[in-house]
């Protein structure tokens, strides 16, 4: 290969700002991609690949009631044949009290056998094994329990009716890699103590787990199948560690998916930036290229030289990107804090560096192929005709285009890890660019013919229609950049609006669950005022219109699943925050229902998930008794906030006799809540309380953290976007300078020149940002309604602000890029113009 | 006798490139009477363009002063020069310098429109007919030949009926046939519009037709006086 070093050096030197832009764009995209992918690999490594550590066994059997005899027998018989070992655990939330009952804390209690766990690690501060430390009558607690109750090792705690001695402190628990997803700190108790707690029988929501360790882990799938056959459908879940969904995994899957989307957007923007700056470099050099060709340089020679130049810039950018990615990853602890699972490191592995290099090559290739291809279309004749503007665009060579989009699709699919969404992504992008460029052409055409009132405006409009028509590519670039940024912003706003609603002042802030029928009076007495008690009946949905609910399929849903246990209630009236949106009253036309079918009112959110309509039939299993119900109304809630709601409401007559507990929502001044909880639990140990104010706080903090993370990643997109803005406007600066000089020579004063420049940039920005707003709103709406399943708010003021900001920014950049000429005598600039 | 339309006193111009200081114009004084056709002649690189830009206010002299129509423009800022450039003077350049986004018609009209002249369209049409470019009125500069471009440039320089036209090697980029035509046109229009014409050239053919020739050599101007 022939390398012409001087040629290359000159090119790099004269490329100036554009070379820098190119390098930064490469660096930005590589940095976000590598940092994120590295983090993703780490999270996967510790959560997904180490599934057994996370789940505690090869197979996990899970139920909200005692394991059925049939399933237990099946397990026992496999155990006897030495296929597996088993152990039980129980897990539930309850409020524990300090010994003198002066303070309380909602905690996650886990009762374990002495061999717990089969897999994974639990480290105690004493260095002992959990089984050694946990003797009957003692508990092992998380540090948070000691801190919040102000106790120390050796002190006593009260759980249910029983006092326990605190024996040790948990430093690390691989089954619980993050703490932010749970409502209270961990307390381990010994299985032998469980019975005396007196909590299990009385409707407490206990998770029963059977952990299995296989002698041949490879048999996991088969044994799961065998055991599933003996399990009670919908009630008992038998899963391998690898396939078990956990909140932790779901959370990280979603977070990583969202961050991947942002990183892809950064990649797109950087790509546009790369393409733009390379085009600008080639555009500046057009005459030189034409001359070089006229002197006999072959296309191949030029292509080789520019290819080497691009590779050089790409390599340099990738290196910076890898370094930056490394730095970002080092920043993760600061950024993510306790969002990062314990045990996930911040190291940057050789694999990450390698990926950075491969990605660098791919990214640079994808985004430079087209501008480089156009190099071949520069004709020597350009020296003789003083054509301005870019080379007449030939229809982008089809093969090059196809290769680029193919590469791009692969990149996107790999990054988002979802073929369908990846393809939608790329298609959306192509559609965006095509639509924008068509609309841009149409608008420019109209503008050229529009009767504009002043000379400055006319002049601004005409300069948009300069030969070579760089305006269209500026508009496409600006529109893409602005819409991408706006999409991210709108998504963030909508997610947050849905998930952190400021909690209303007077709303109930203490929920009490599992109040027994015979405890109603005592409860009223403890609380001290008349409180509303909602009956709660636990049940499972069996079928909708005789279509059975498939629990396996249901668990795949990102929204609420229909296979879980539901809380039914009965009452005659609507609540204050409910309205009827389907039907006329809660139980309209009950008398017309066939015998054995009862009336049912359904909440709109679950109706949407299950595609349930008025008059649909639904079959429930209420603790062994099946009932058939017909939907007589659909309700909606007027305020979406953290307030108890019931999907399914029946007539009192239907459910009054069913086994039930009561639920109560109380409003108290915040500072009184802890004492009230202590009082309730001291008198009614089986009642679970939820300090909603506290939960809302925790949730708010989590969301703030996430917001920081998202903003951090989005800031790379913003950087790329601004870079594009600046570089595209600077790239076409020469055209504007030329015109400005001519206006001045012909006697225009600075007001006129400023006015033309302002109008020109305002038109560009106005057009681009309006297009961008439309695209962003549509895209964000699509994503919110299809991917996240949340209500979409267009936030028009943000859109308006975007338009205003873009206009101001573009005008500012445009004016600064041509400010020098306004106050100076034009002779110097005149000399630089080749003339037309 | 009336005041000179243009007067320069002791102007000099130098450029500093790195350490070196190149003196292009060295203590030049001159004046032009209204209605005359003067030529500045000199070899390429002798400073003709520099002198024209300094005299017309497109550039500032390093020393000395310049008067246009009795106003001392030496220290005028750009906004004070703007109306002078628009109404008092016109320019014709070697490299044409037409606004690329405008058609020939629009290029010619532009100075009149800046001047808010209600007859801009009419005047431009007349000029286009006059120079035989009516057919090409909708062509943009890239769609015109060199000779056509220069004719459009001449019309543009004259549309506001300026008292003084500066022409910097107007035939420098043209072949001999087109050169002759453009010079003829310039001279005819100079007569018709009764303007003063200061033209820089290195061609003796054009100098021969001037009322007066000033030759530029080593940064100094030698006045060869009026031709009889
Ligand atoms: N901006 C500048 N900086 C430095 N030197 C310049 C500049 N402009 C012109 N010159 C020099 O001034 C001299 C005169 O140039 P010019 O007036 O264009 O001559 P002419 O028009 O007679 O060919 C030349 O030697 C040229 O190199
Ligand atoms: Mg010259």
């Amino acid at each position: 290969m022939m390398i012409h070093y001087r040629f290359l050096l000159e090119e790099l030197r004269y490329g100036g700002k554009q070379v820098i832009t190119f390098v930064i764009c490469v660096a930005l995209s590589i940095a976000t991609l590598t940092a994120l992918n590295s983090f993703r690999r780490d999270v996967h490594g510790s959560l997904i690949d180490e599934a057994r550590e996370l789940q505690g066994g090869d197979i996990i059997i899970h139920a909200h009631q005692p394991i059925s005899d049939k399933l237990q027998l099946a397990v026992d018989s496999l155990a006897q044949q030495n296929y597996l070992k088993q152990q039980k655990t129980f897990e539930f939330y309850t409020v524990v009290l300090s010994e003198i009952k002066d303070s309380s804390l909602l905690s996650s209690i886990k009762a374990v056998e002495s061999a717990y766990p089969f897999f994974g690690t639990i480290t105690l501060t004493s260095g002992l094994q959990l089984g050694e430390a946990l003797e009957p009558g003692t508990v092992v607690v998380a540090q948070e329990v000691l801190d919040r109750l102000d106790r120390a090792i050796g002190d006593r705690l009260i759980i249910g009716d029983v006092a326990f001695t605190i024996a040790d402190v948990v430093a690390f628990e691989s089954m619980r890699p993050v703490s932010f997803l749970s409502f209270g700190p961990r307390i381990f108790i010994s299985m032998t103590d469980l019975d005396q707690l007196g909590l299990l029988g009385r409707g407490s929501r206990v998770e029963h787990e059977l952990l299995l360790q296989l002698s041949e882990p490879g048999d996991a799938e088969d044994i799961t199948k065998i055991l599933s056959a003996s399990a009670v459908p919908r009630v008992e879940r038998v899963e391998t560690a690898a396939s078990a969904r956990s909140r932790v995994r779901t959370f990280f899957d979603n977070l990583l998916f969202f961050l991947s989307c942002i990183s892809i957007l950064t990649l797109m923007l950087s790509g546009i930036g790369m393409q733009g700056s390379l085009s600008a470099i080639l555009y500046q050099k057009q005459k030189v290229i034409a001359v070089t060709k006229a002197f006999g340089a072959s296309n191949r020679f030029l292509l080789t030289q520019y290819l080497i130049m691009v590779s050089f810039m790409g390599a340099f950018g990738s290196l910076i990107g890898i370094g930056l990615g490394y730095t970002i990853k080092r920043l993760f602890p600061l950024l993510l804090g306790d969002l990062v699972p314990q045990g996930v490191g911040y190291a940057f592995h050789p694999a990450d560096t390698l990926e950075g290099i491969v990605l660098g090559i791919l990214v640079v290739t994808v985004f430079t192929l087209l501008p480089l291809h156009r190099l071949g279309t520069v004709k020597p004749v350009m020296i003789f005709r003083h054509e301005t503007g870019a080379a007449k665009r030939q229809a982008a060579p089809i093969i090059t285009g196809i290769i680029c989009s193919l590469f791009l699709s692969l990149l996107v699919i790999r990054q988002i890890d979802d073929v369908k969404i990846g393809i939608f992504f790329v298609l959306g992008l192509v559609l965006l660019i095509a639509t924008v460029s068509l609309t841009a052409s149409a608008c420019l055409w109209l503008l050229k013919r529009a009767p504009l009132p002043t000379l400055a405006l006319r002049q601004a409009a005409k300069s948009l229609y300069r030969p070579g028509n760089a305006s269209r590519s500026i508009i496409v670039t600006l529109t893409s950049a602005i819409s991408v940024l706006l999409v991210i912003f709108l998504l963030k706003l909508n997610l947050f609006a849905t998930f952190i609603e400021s909690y209303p002042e007077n709303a109930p802030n203490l929920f009490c669950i599992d109040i027994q029928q015979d405890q109603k009076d005592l409860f009223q007495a403890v609380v001290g005022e008349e409180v509303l008690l909602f009956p709660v009946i636990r049940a499972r949905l069996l079928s909708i219109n005789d279509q059975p609910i498939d629990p396996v399929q249901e668990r795949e849903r990102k929204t609420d699943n229909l296979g879980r246990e539901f809380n039914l209630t009965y009452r005659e009236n609507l609540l204050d925050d409910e309205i009827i949106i389907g039907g006329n009253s809660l139980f309209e036309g009950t008398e017309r229902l066939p015998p054995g079918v009862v009336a049912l009112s359904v909440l709109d959110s679950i109706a949407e998930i299950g595609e349930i309509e008025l008059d649909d039939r639904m079959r429930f299993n209420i603790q062994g008794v099946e009932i058939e119900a017909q939907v007589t109304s659909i309700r909606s809630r007027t305020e979406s906030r953290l307030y108890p709601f019931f999907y399914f409401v029946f007539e009192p007559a239907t459910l009054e006799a069913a086994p039930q507990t009561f639920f109560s929502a109380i409003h108290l001044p915040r500072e009184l809540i802890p004492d009230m909880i202590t009082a309730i639990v001291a008198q009614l140990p089986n009642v679970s309380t939820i300090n909603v104010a506290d939960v809302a706080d925790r949730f708010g903090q989590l969301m703030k953290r996430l917001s920081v993370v998202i903003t951090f990643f989005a800031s790379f997109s913003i950087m790329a976007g601004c870079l594009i803005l600046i570089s595209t406007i600077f790239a076409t600066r020469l055209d504007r300078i030329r015109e400005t000089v001519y206006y001045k020579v012909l006697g225009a004063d600075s007001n006129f020149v400023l006015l033309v420049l302002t109008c020109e940039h305002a038109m560009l920005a106005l057009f681009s940002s309006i297009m961008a707003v439309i695209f962003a709103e549509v895209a964000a709406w699509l994503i919110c309604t299809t991917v996240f399943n949340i209500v979409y708010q267009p936030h028009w003021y943000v859109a308006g602000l975007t338009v205003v900001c873009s206009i101001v920014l573009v005008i500012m950049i445009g004016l600064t890029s041509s400010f020098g000429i306004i106050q100076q005598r034009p002779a110097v600039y005149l000399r630089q113009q080749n003339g037309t | 006798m009336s005041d000179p339309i243009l007067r320069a006193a002791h102007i000099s111009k130098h450029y500093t490139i790195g350490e070196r200081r190149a003196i292009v114009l060295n203590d030049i004084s001159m004046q032009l009477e209204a209605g005359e056709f003067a030529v500045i002649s000199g070899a390429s690189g002798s400073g003709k363009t520099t002198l024209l830009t300094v005299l017309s206010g497109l550039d500032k002299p390093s020393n000395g002063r310049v008067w246009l129509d009795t106003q001392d423009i030496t220290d005028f800022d750009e906004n004070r020069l703007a109306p002078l450039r628009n109404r008092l003077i016109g320019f014709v350049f070697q490299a044409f310098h037409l606004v690329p986004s405008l058609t020939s018609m629009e290029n010619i009209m532009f100075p009149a429109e800046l001047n808010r002249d209600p007859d801009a369209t009419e005047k431009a049409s007349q000029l286009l007919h006059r120079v035989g470019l009516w057919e090409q009125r909708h062509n943009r500069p890239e769609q015109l030949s060199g000779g056509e471009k220069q004719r459009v440039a001449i019309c543009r320089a004259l549309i506001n009926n300026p008292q003084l036209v500066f022409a910097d090697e107007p035939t420098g980029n043209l072949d001999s046939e087109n050169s002759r035509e453009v010079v003829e046109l310039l001279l005819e229009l100079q007569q018709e519009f009764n303007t003063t014409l200061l033209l820089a050239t290195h061609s003796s053919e054009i100098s021969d037709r001037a009322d007066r020739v000033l030759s530029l050599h080593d940064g100094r101007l030698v006045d060869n006086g009026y031709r009889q």
Side-chain angles (χ1 to χ4, degrees):
Chain A
M1 195 182 336
M2 181 171 55
I3 303 178
H4 204 296
Y5 288 103
R6 237 197 27 235
F7 182 89
L8 281 177
L9 264 175
E10 293 285 292
E11 293 305 287
L12 284 175
R13 213 147 56 88
Y14 284 104
K17 289 198 187 75
Q18 301 297 344
V19 170
I20 297 173
T21 307
F22 187 95
V23 170
I24 296 180
C25 282
V26 176
L28 278 179
S29 55
I30 299 303
T32 22
L33 289 179
T34 48
L36 197 64
N37 289 352
S38 173
F39 176 61
R40 176 158 65 181
R41 269 192 293 273
D42 284 352
V43 170
H44 274 242
S46 75
L47 294 187
I48 284 101
D49 303 344
E50 305 294 329
R52 298 200 305 186
E53 309 259 306
L54 185 68
Q55 304 292 343
D58 287 309
I59 292 177
I60 299 93
I61 298 172
H62 192 94
H64 279 280
Q65 60 190 53
I67 306 289
S68 65
D69 292 341
K70 191 175 169 204
L71 181 57
Q72 188 62 61
L73 274 174
V75 174
D76 289 343
S77 91
L78 284 174
Q80 266 159 21
Q81 297 166 53
N82 281 331
Y83 281 114
L84 52 81
K85 282 190 235 152
Q86 57 171 320
Q87 55 176 274
K88 262 198 175 71
T89 72
F90 296 93
E91 195 171 344
F92 55 93
Y93 280 102
T94 194
V95 174
V96 302
L97 297 168
S98 58
E99 192 177 9
I100 46 167
K101 300 194 176 180
D102 64 337
S103 56
S104 60
L105 176 66
L106 181 69
S107 311
S108 160
I109 315 282
K110 190 154 191 159
V112 296
E113 295 176 20
S114 60
Y116 182 79
F118 283 134
F119 301 104
T121 34
I122 294 171
T123 317
L124 305 186
T125 45
S126 65
L128 292 174
Q129 295 293 309
L130 181 64
E132 298 166 358
L134 197 60
E135 285 167 19
T138 68
V139 288
V140 171
V141 302
Q143 181 63 42
E144 195 186 340
V145 175
L146 299 185
D147 296 343
R148 303 252 316 249
L149 291 176
D150 196 19
R151 296 296 113 143
I153 291 181
D155 289 348
R156 287 156 78 81
L157 288 180
I158 297 175
I159 306 175
D161 303 324
V162 188
F164 290 89
T165 308
I166 302 171
D168 215 328
V169 173
V170 185
F172 172 73
E173 185 188 346
S174 68
M175 279 66 79
R176 205 175 144 101
V178 289
S179 58
F180 63 91
L181 286 172
S182 47
F183 295 115
R186 176 70 92 207
I187 296 180
F188 283 109
I189 63 170
S190 165
M191 189 66 82
T192 47
D193 289 331
L194 187 66
D195 290 338
Q196 16 161 353
L197 283 185
L199 289 172
L200 284 191
R202 308 189 66 183
S204 302
R205 38 214 71 224
V206 178
E207 290 184 34
H208 299 248
E209 247 180 17
L210 207 53
L211 301 180
L212 308 183
Q213 180 188 24
L214 306 183
S215 14
E216 281 300 328
D219 297 340
E221 297 285 341
D222 295 336
I223 294 184
T224 304
K225 268 196 206 107
I226 296 169
L227 293 178
S228 293
S230 304
V232 180
R234 281 183 284 278
V235 174
E236 289 166 328
R237 216 162 74 214
V238 184
E239 290 171 314
T240 63
S243 69
R245 300 288 317 166
S246 65
R247 276 152 57 85
V248 184
R249 259 170 74 168
T250 312
F251 175 84
F252 278 100
D253 277 353
N254 287 338
L255 177 65
L256 288 169
F257 174 77
F258 193 64
L259 293 182
S260 292
C261 287
I262 296 181
S263 73
I264 284 287
L265 294 178
T266 309
L267 171 73
M268 299 288 171
L269 286 183
S270 316
I272 295 173
M274 277 177 235
Q275 199 151 23
S277 50
L278 185 61
S279 296
I281 293 172
L282 296 178
Y283 169 44
Q284 284 168 8
K285 308 258 41 154
Q286 221 175 84
K287 282 232 166 81
V288 179
I289 295 169
V291 171
T292 324
K293 278 193 183 176
F295 281 101
S298 66
N299 263 340
R300 172 176 293 205
F301 168 82
L302 282 171
L303 200 63
T304 314
Q305 304 311 318
Y306 279 104
L307 256 179
I308 293 167
M309 181 172 125
V310 165
S311 323
F312 179 74
M313 296 191 298
F316 192 57
S318 301
L319 279 184
I320 297 180
I322 291 169
L324 197 61
Y326 173 81
T327 319
I328 295 172
K329 207 170 170 212
R330 290 261 137 196
L331 285 177
F332 272 5
L334 268 176
L335 203 63
L336 292 156
D338 57 0
L339 287 190
V340 178
Q342 279 189 29
V344 167
Y346 301 105
F348 205 70
H349 315 288
D352 302 328
T353 313
L354 189 72
E355 179 180 37
I357 295 169
V358 174
L359 279 177
I361 295 172
L362 258 175
V363 167
V364 170
T365 317
V366 166
F367 292 109
T368 56
L369 224 55
L370 271 179
L372 279 180
H373 196 107
R374 250 181 254 134
L375 197 64
T377 66
V378 175
K379 301 215 170 53
V381 71
M382 274 170 195
I383 339 171
F384 305 111
R385 287 228 163 258
H386 292 291
E387 271 169 301
T388 51
K392 290 246 152 41
R393 283 229 185 131
Q394 303 189 333
I398 297 167
I399 295 180
T400 319
I402 291 177
I403 294 176
C404 286
S405 4
L406 217 73
F407 265 150
L408 192 63
S409 316
L410 285 179
L411 252 175
V412 172
I413 290 168
R414 193 196 100 101
Q415 195 64 27
I416 328 195
D417 217 3
D418 188 322
V419 178
K420 214 171 83 190
I421 297 180
I423 290 173
F424 273 131
F425 215 106
V426 176
L427 280 182
L429 198 81
V430 171
L431 198 74
L432 178 122
I433 290 176
T435 321
V436 172
S437 92
L438 276 178
T439 326
S441 299
C443 282
L444 287 171
W445 188 86
L446 277 178
L447 200 60
K448 196 188 167 197
R449 281 152 187 81
L452 293 167
T454 69
L455 180 63
L457 260 178
R458 280 200 297 278
Q459 219 47 47
K462 277 170 192 151
S463 31
L464 286 181
Y465 209 78
R466 270 187 207 105
N469 203 1
S471 314
R472 207 181 51 188
S473 42
I474 295 182
I475 289 176
V476 171
T477 314
L478 283 185
T479 307
S480 327
I482 299 171
S483 47
V484 163
L485 299 183
L486 193 54
V487 165
I488 297 179
F489 202 68
L490 285 173
L491 286 184
K492 204 180 106 177
L493 278 180
N494 274 290
L495 283 172
F496 280 53
T498 309
F499 292 120
I500 358 175
E501 208 91 321
S502 57
Y503 197 65
E505 248 347 272
N506 55 355
N509 48 16
L510 174 61
F511 293 174
C512 299
I513 314 170
D514 293 338
I515 303 162
Q516 308 295 310
Q517 192 101 33
D518 57 357
Q519 292 178 321
K520 279 160 86 174
D521 296 335
L522 180 55
F523 181 78
Q524 294 278 12
V526 173
V527 176
E529 54 181 293
E530 189 67 20
V531 287
L532 264 183
L533 291 169
F534 301 94
V536 176
I537 295 104
R538 316 184 86 186
R540 279 179 187 279
L541 179 59
L542 299 175
S543 65
I544 302 174
N545 290 332
D546 291 327
Q547 199 71 40
I549 302 294
D550 177 358
V552 179
Q553 221 175 331
E554 287 301 324
R555 251 173 273 135
E556 295 296 310
R557 277 187 204 271
K558 280 194 176 168
T559 55
D560 208 346
N561 87 62
L562 299 174
R564 73 173 174 93
E565 195 171 45
F566 287 110
N567 292 321
L568 316 182
T569 193
Y570 57 85
R571 54 179 144 91
E572 272 155 352
N573 311 314
L574 278 181
L575 296 181
D576 287 346
D577 68 340
E578 289 179 331
I579 50 166
I580 296 219
I581 58 166
N584 293 314
S585 65
L586 269 187
F587 307 111
E588 195 198 20
T590 312
E591 59 287 350
R592 285 194 302 275
L593 294 177
V597 177
V598 299
L600 164 65
S601 172
V602 176
L603 198 66
D604 58 350
S605 46
I606 196 79
E608 210 169 284
I609 295 169
E611 293 166 18
I612 301 164
E613 285 164 16
L614 271 185
D615 297 334
D616 279 355
R617 288 288 176 83
M618 301 178 75
R619 179 164 275 280
F620 288 90
N621 177 336
I622 304 172
Q623 290 152 52
V625 182
E626 293 197 3
I627 59 166
E628 176 97 15
Q630 178 161 330
V631 178
T632 52
S633 69
I634 295 178
R635 287 163 299 131
S636 181
R637 300 203 309 146
T638 50
E639 287 164 85
S640 67
R641 53 189 154 95
L642 226 61
Y643 189 81
F645 60 89
F646 291 92
Y647 284 146
F648 305 108
V649 177
F650 290 83
E651 283 184 295
T654 315
L655 292 180
E656 252 162 4
Q660 56 195 276
T661 60
F662 291 84
F663 165 88
S664 178
I666 308 166
H667 174 76
L668 280 176
R670 244 195 114 153
E671 60 282 3
L672 296 185
I673 297 177
D675 286 344
M676 176 60 78
I677 292 177
T678 309
I680 293 172
V681 176
Q683 302 264 358
L684 306 149
N686 66 294
V687 171
S688 304
T689 56
I690 299 172
N691 183 342
V692 182
D694 220 38
V695 172
D697 265 7
R698 274 165 163 270
F699 201 64
Q701 273 161 13
L702 174 61
M703 280 294 162
K704 263 191 213 122
R705 259 256 126 81
L706 287 178
S707 164
V708 172
V709 177
I710 293 170
T711 312
F712 177 80
F713 277 96
S715 69
F716 287 86
S717 291
I718 295 174
M719 273 191 260
C722 287
L723 213 58
I724 292 175
L725 204 75
I726 295 171
S727 79
T728 35
I729 291 171
F730 263 81
T732 51
R733 186 173 101 261
L734 292 180
D735 288 334
R736 265 189 312 278
I737 289 181
R738 184 213 312 270
E739 272 159 34
T740 308
V741 172
Y742 294 171
Y743 297 155
K744 290 186 63 168
V745 169
L746 298 174
D749 57 15
S750 54
N751 283 339
F752 179 84
V753 171
L754 279 175
L755 202 59
V756 174
L757 285 174
T758 309
C759 290
E760 181 185 345
H761 290 101
M763 286 177 192
L764 279 177
L766 184 72
F767 181 76
S768 312
S769 52
I770 286 180
M771 296 274 289
V773 162
I774 296 172
F775 270 106
E777 292 283 358
V778 171
W781 169 76
L782 269 177
I783 296 174
C784 279
T785 48
T786 61
V787 179
F788 296 119
N789 278 306
I790 57 174
V791 183
Y792 183 68
Q793 292 264 318
H795 292 281
W796 290 115
Y797 70 96
V798 175
L801 214 64
T802 310
V803 174
V804 173
C805 286
S806 328
I807 294 178
V808 171
L809 205 67
V810 170
I811 290 177
M812 263 167 44
I813 297 170
L815 289 187
T816 40
S817 76
S818 19
F819 213 74
I821 13 170
I822 292 175
Q823 293 309 326
Q824 278 181 41
R825 298 257 173 124
V828 189
Y829 296 97
L830 212 49
R831 218 176 254 278
Q832 289 164 358
Q833 308 301 327
N834 307 320
T836 33
Chain B
M1 206 179 163
S2 61
D3 284 323
I5 182 80
L6 169 78
R7 191 155 75 85
H10 309 289
I11 51 173
S12 56
K13 179 82 185 172
H14 49 77
Y15 294 107
T16 327
I17 305 166
E19 308 271 284
R20 279 193 51 239
R21 202 167 111 161
I23 299 173
V24 181
L25 304 176
N26 191 0
D27 192 24
I28 287 176
S29 300
M30 61 165 285
Q31 60 183 46
L32 279 184
E33 304 305 331
E36 68 174 319
F37 167 30
V39 158
I40 296 173
S41 75
S44 182
S46 58
K48 302 183 294 296
T49 301
T50 310
L51 180 57
L52 277 194
T53 53
V54 167
L55 292 177
S56 60
L58 291 181
D59 207 350
K60 254 188 181 175
S62 310
N63 281 305
R65 310 207 74 80
V66 179
W67 289 264
L68 267 181
D69 195 24
T70 71
Q71 301 182 66
D72 181 351
I73 64 157
T74 322
D75 294 320
F76 270 25
D77 66 17
E78 287 294 286
N79 278 342
R80 287 187 72 185
L81 283 168
L84 298 183
R85 287 179 190 148
N86 185 235
R87 289 188 284 265
L88 187 69
I89 55 188
F91 296 95
V92 177
F93 301 96
Q94 174 176 5
F96 322 123
H97 293 328
L98 297 177
V99 181
S101 55
L102 301 184
T103 62
S104 0
M105 177 81 171
E106 291 164 339
N107 261 292
I108 297 173
M109 277 168 61
F110 187 79
E113 284 186 298
L114 268 182
N115 193 21
R116 298 171 195 283
D117 184 343
D119 302 327
T121 322
E122 201 177 314
K123 287 183 179 169
S125 310
Q126 276 177 14
L127 279 165
L128 274 167
H129 280 297
R130 171 69 186 76
V131 301
L133 287 176
W134 179 247
E135 296 294 310
Q136 286 90 330
R137 64 187 178 283
H138 293 313
N139 290 19
R140 282 205 297 242
E142 52 174 338
Q143 299 156 328
L144 294 172
S145 76
E148 289 166 341
K149 281 188 212 178
Q150 201 57 301
R151 280 186 274 163
V152 170
I154 291 170
C155 295
R156 185 179 68 175
L158 288 167
I159 191 163
N160 280 346
N161 216 339
Q163 296 182 40
L164 181 55
V165 171
F166 293 93
D168 183 13
E169 304 208 40
T171 60
N173 277 350
L174 303 176
D175 58 36
S176 53
E177 182 64 27
N178 270 308
S179 295
R180 238 188 320 274
E181 270 179 37
V182 161
V183 173
E184 286 312 321
L185 186 67
L186 253 180
L187 292 184
E188 280 171 28
L189 289 172
Q190 187 227 346
Q191 294 299 318
E192 281 171 34
F193 283 74
N194 191 26
T195 60
T196 313
L197 176 61
L198 181 59
L199 187 149
T201 183
H202 61 261
S203 138
S204 54
E205 220 169 300
I206 303 177
S207 321
D208 288 347
R209 308 187 56 175
D211 297 331
R212 184 180 164 207
V213 176
L214 306 151
S215 42
L216 196 53
H217 192 70
D218 283 342
R220 292 185 179 273
L221 193 67
V222 180
D223 193 341
N224 300 332
Y226 292 90
R227 295 184 331 141
Q228 277 69 43

